[in-house]
Amino acid sequence: EVAPSTTYKEPLTMLANLLLNHAETNLLVVGHCDVTGTPQFNKKLSLKRADFIKDFLIFSPVIARVS
């Protein structure tokens, strides 16, 4: 599963607010997973997780209010 648990929204919204107040900040988003799957599967899963967070931040309601 790519989407994190439902507890992700509050901290990511807080992060989006922080980024809005510090526009000079660069952020590197990295996904992680356990070693349950094959290396190829885990790499794809890690990238999907990182992309999910990136997209959440880019399209968050916080960012959309000022765009």
Side-chain angles (χ1 to χ4, degrees), residues 2 30-32 41-53:
V2 174
V30 179
H32 292 276
F41 175 83
N42 288 339
K43 182 172 183 166
K44 286 181 183 179
L45 179 59
S46 295
L47 291 172
K48 285 180 181 181
R49 287 178 173 173
D51 284 342
F52 180 90
I53 300 303

Side-chain angles (χ1 to χ4, degrees), residues 4-36:
S5 69
T6 56
T7 59
Y8 74 93
K9 286 184 180 179
E10 185 177 347
L12 287 180
T13 300
M14 291 171 61
L15 177 59
N17 277 310
L18 180 71
L19 292 171
L20 280 175
N21 292 323
H22 300 279
E24 73 285 357
T25 302
N26 293 315
L27 184 68
L28 174 65
V29 178
V30 179
H32 292 276
C33 60
D34 60 23
V35 295
T36 303

